[in-house]
Structure formats: C-alpha cells, structure tokens
Amino acid sequence: MKLAGKVAIITGAGSGMGADEARMFAAEGAKVVITDIVGDACRKVAAEIGESAIAIEHDVADEAGWSRVVATALAQFGKIDILVNNAGLTKSDTFDNTDVAFMRRMLDVNIIGSFLGMKAVRGPMKDNGGGAIINIASGLAFTSLPGYFAYGVSKWGVRGMTRLGAKELAPDNIRVVTLTPGAIETPSLVPAVRENAATMIPMGRVGGADEFARVVVFIASDDASYVSGAEFLIDGAMIC
Ligand SMILES: NC(=O)c1ccc[n+]([C@@H]2O[C@H](COP(=O)([O-])OP(=O)(O)OC[C@H]3O[C@@H](n4cnc5c(N)ncnc54)[C@H](O)[C@@H]3O)[C@@H](O)[C@H]2O)c1
C-alpha cells in the first residue's frame, strides 16, 4: 500500500500505460481520477477499478476542462497529491509533411496539456503541503529520430517543463519528475519495434506497461520524497 491515502489524477488513462497506472495506483491504496479524451475508455477503466476511481472525459488541451477535473477531484476525494501527465498524441511525420495545424495540435496536447495540468493542480497541492507531478516524455526526447518531427519536439519540451517546473515549485514541496518510456507494450507501440526488439533493444524485449507503472508508483510515493527535477529512462538500456 505505497499510495495509501493519496489522491491522483492520471490523464489519458483510458488505455495503455495510463490505464495500468490507474489500476496499480488503486491497488496501492490511492483514489484515482481517470481522464481521457475518449469518455467510454476512461469510464470502462474506472468501472473495473470500482469505488476508488472516477472517470472524467477531458481533452488535456482544454483549459476550462482542467478546472472541471480539479473541482471534481476535490469534491469527490478532498485533495490532490499526484498528477500524472500521461496523455499524449503519438503521431509521426517528417519535417516536410508537418504543417502548422499538425504542429499546433501536437504542442497543444503534449506540451500545453501538461502545462495546464501543472497549473491546475499547483494551488490544491500547495494548500495540501505538497505533491508529485509526473510528466511522461519519450525516448525520442533523448535523440533525434527522423520522421518524428513534431512528436520529438513536443517531448523535448516536456523534459524542459519538468526541469523548470521542479525549480519553481520546490519551495512548495511540489516535486516534478520526467519518466521516459522506451518501447512499452501498449496499443500505440509501433509493431516494427516489437518485431525487431531482439536487435533494437539491449534487453531484447519491449517493456510491460506494468513494469513502467511500478516506477510511476515509486516516484509518486513518499519513498521518492527528495526526488525532483530528475529524469528516468525505463527502456531496457536502449538509450544510454
Ligand atoms: N508505449 C510506448 O512505447 C511509449 C513510448 C514513448 C512515449 N510514450 C508516451 O506514453 C504516454 C502513454 O502512451 P501509451 O503508449 O499508453 O498510448 P495509448 O495510445 O495506449 O494511450 C494514450 C491515451 O491518451 C489518450 N489521449 C490522446 N490524446 C488525448 C488528449 N488530447 N486528451 C486526453 N487524452 C488523450 C488516448 O485516448 C489514449 O487513451 C504518451 O504520452 C506517449 O507519448 C509511450
């Protein structure tokens, strides 16, 4: 019960890693607010978990929606200890094929969405004596892979937001950490990565969403009370 008594918001938790994190958070004693742009998906995960979870349909790029998410979390569970900015747009394309509309949407979801989340929980976390914000980046924020122009730029931005946010929020005991998945088994994993894992990944396999979620639990918990501004790669030694 590493998260007993904690209240967490996890975005994009209707699928993949976010859904696994929601299940593991609840199993570790947390109350969980599960949000996703796909309402049916987050409602299904919340229903599976039971009374420790509620679902809210929400596009992370929607600022007014963030007020609703925070107000509902406070009304239902009384405080906010943890935010996992997990929701992400994972579309790939080259620089030449990236138009302004695609670039704007990518930055809106992957950077502005996480920024709005940090802004929205900052007050309640301060009032509560602190908290933990976990931003999910990507291995593509540690390298420059052609064909992932907008996505790569957005995830490099996530790393910067963690570092700057960690310094400014530390006086209020709000920790900000970047967790970086390499190749994790979820619906958005590119099939070629799974097929070539034996040669592409030093550990010879993709990671399980549960293996990633266990790290999220640790960073969200009081065991990591002096960890802030840090970046962790969960990638089977792919980038090092
Ligand atoms: N799976 C991997 O190998 C991998 C690798 C690197 C980074 N990531 C990152 O991990 C995070 C989770 O990815 P995943 O693999 O679980 O993907 P996924 O597609 O299984 O889940 C992402 C969820 O986010 C939701 N979502 C998308 N846009 C949203 C928005 N605007 N507002 C709210 N919800 C939205 C989707 O509906 C989906 O439920 C993402 O940020 C992704 O970029 C994943």
Side-chain angles (χ1 to χ4, degrees):
M1 284 297 189
K2 295 182 183 125
L3 301 177
K6 304 278 190 198
V7 178
I9 298 172
I10 307 178
T11 67
S15 162
M17 300 191 314
D20 257 47
E21 288 155 20
R23 292 185 194 102
M24 204 173 285
F25 271 43
E28 292 288 350
K31 307 284 189 205
V32 194
V33 178
I34 296 170
T35 79
D36 203 287
I37 198 168
V38 182
D40 284 348
C42 60
R43 283 189 284 274
K44 190 166 170 238
V45 176
E48 270 172 34
I49 292 173
E51 62 182 21
S52 306
I54 58 168
I56 305 174
E57 184 173 333
H58 174 225
D59 177 348
V60 292
D62 171 17
E63 185 175 3
W66 269 109
S67 305
R68 187 167 46 86
V69 169
V70 164
T72 308
L74 292 174
Q76 195 80 18
F77 298 129
K79 60 174 183 160
I80 299 166
D81 300 290
I82 302 156
L83 167 66
V84 184
N85 277 319
N86 165 77
L89 204 56
T90 53
K91 280 188 180 166
S92 58
D93 225 328
T94 61
F95 173 78
D96 283 338
N97 287 335
T98 299
D99 62 17
V100 172
F102 178 53
M103 190 72 184
R104 285 222 165 97
R105 180 62 183 159
M106 186 65 80
L107 300 183
D108 256 359
V109 174
N110 291 5
I111 297 188
I112 303 292
S114 298
F115 164 72
L116 290 172
M118 290 170 67
K119 292 286 272 186
V121 301
R122 192 226 195 293
M125 282 185 177
K126 182 180 178 184
D127 295 346
N128 194 38
I133 297 172
I134 295 166
N135 294 325
I136 305 299
S138 162
L140 300 184
F142 286 78
T143 177
S144 338
L145 187 66
Y148 285 85
F149 185 79
Y151 180 75
V153 168
S154 74
K155 293 295 190 176
W156 276 91
V158 167
R159 291 181 62 196
M161 202 159 50
T162 291
R163 291 180 180 211
L164 290 156
K167 293 238 170 154
E168 293 209 20
L169 302 187
D172 292 325
N173 196 33
I174 298 172
R175 300 184 292 111
V176 191
V177 173
T178 293
L179 295 185
T180 296
I184 304 293
E185 190 59 68
T186 72
S188 74
L189 183 69
V190 178
V193 175
R194 186 184 304 114
E195 286 150 21
N196 297 308
T199 50
M200 277 179 68
I201 304 170
M203 284 185 77
R205 63 177 180 84
V206 301
D210 59 321
E211 292 178 288
F212 190 87
R214 277 197 288 276
V215 182
V216 183
V217 166
F218 165 64
I219 293 297
S221 78
D222 292 339
D223 286 345
S225 55
Y226 199 54
V227 178
S228 192
E231 302 176 317
F232 294 86
L233 290 157
I234 299 99
D235 72 345
M238 195 154 51
I239 297 161
C240 62

